């Protein structure tokens, strides 16, 4: 049975908002460069700073991926570059679970947080699978763990 990862709706909405803001500010910057009389230098400078900040926030988009859990391994597809990487289940040394929490500047927990999983590979690399991105996170992790256990039994 093949299990494909599904992005959360909030993840897609977040990406759409970033794209919309980027295009809006980018068009403002282009318009300001074409018609310098209409905009002041200060507002154009602020627009370039905002554009740079949105680009900085979008760098994580290059790290995003989809997963396809198959019988003999995991197929990881890069979201932007569409590169494929195959991870065999026998190359996974462990599946660790960690928890992240949002904290204020005073160190007070803002939320209870959520758990995410880290696949430790035998070549020293890691793969982080987070429920913040995937709607079917528990199904993915359960499938990976069960197939790793089958590999160790056989």
């Amino acid at each position: 049975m093949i299990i494909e990862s599904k992005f959360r709706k909030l993840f897609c909405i977040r990406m759409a908002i970033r794209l919309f803001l980027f295009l809006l500010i980018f068009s403002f910057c282009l318009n300001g460069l074409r018609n310098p009389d209409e905009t002041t230098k200060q507002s154009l400078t602020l627009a370039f700073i905002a554009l740079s900040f949105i680009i900085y926030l979008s760098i994580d988009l290059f790290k995003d991926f989809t997963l396809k859990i198959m019988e003999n391994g995991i197929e990881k597809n890069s979201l932007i570059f569409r590169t494929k990487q195959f991870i065999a289940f026998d190359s996974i040394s462990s599946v660790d679970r960690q928890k992240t929490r949002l904290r204020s500047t005073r160190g007070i927990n803002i939320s209870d947080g959520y758990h995410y999983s880290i696949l430790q590979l035998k070549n020293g690399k890691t793969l982080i699978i987070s429920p913040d991105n995937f709607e079917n996170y528990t199904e993915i992790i359960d499938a990976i763990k069960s197939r790793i256990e089958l590999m160790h039994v056989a």
Side-chain angles (χ1 to χ4, degrees), residues 135-151:
E135 182 178 307
N136 58 343
Y137 165 79
T138 53
E139 183 182 7
I140 291 169
I141 295 302
D142 290 342
I144 291 172
K145 286 181 179 179
S146 67
R147 294 201 173 105
I148 289 174
E149 288 174 7
L150 286 175
M151 296 292 277

Side-chain angles (χ1 to χ4, degrees), residues 79-136:
L79 196 60
I80 298 293
F81 298 116
R82 292 292 185 204
T83 56
K84 291 185 179 184
Q85 177 186 5
F86 184 77
I87 302 169
F89 287 120
D90 59 354
S91 68
I92 300 172
S93 59
S94 68
V95 179
D96 300 327
R97 189 173 166 189
Q98 293 188 5
K99 187 171 186 173
T100 184
R101 292 187 179 143
L102 296 174
R103 294 178 187 249
S104 68
T105 54
R106 296 181 188 166
I108 300 170
N109 290 338
I110 295 174
S111 74
D112 190 33
Y114 60 91
H115 287 91
Y116 60 94
S117 297
I118 301 175
L119 301 181
Q120 298 286 339
L121 305 179
K122 291 181 179 174
N123 63 4
K125 294 183 179 180
T126 59
L127 176 65
I128 298 174
I129 303 173
S130 171
D132 193 36
N133 294 346
F134 300 117
E135 182 178 307
N136 58 343

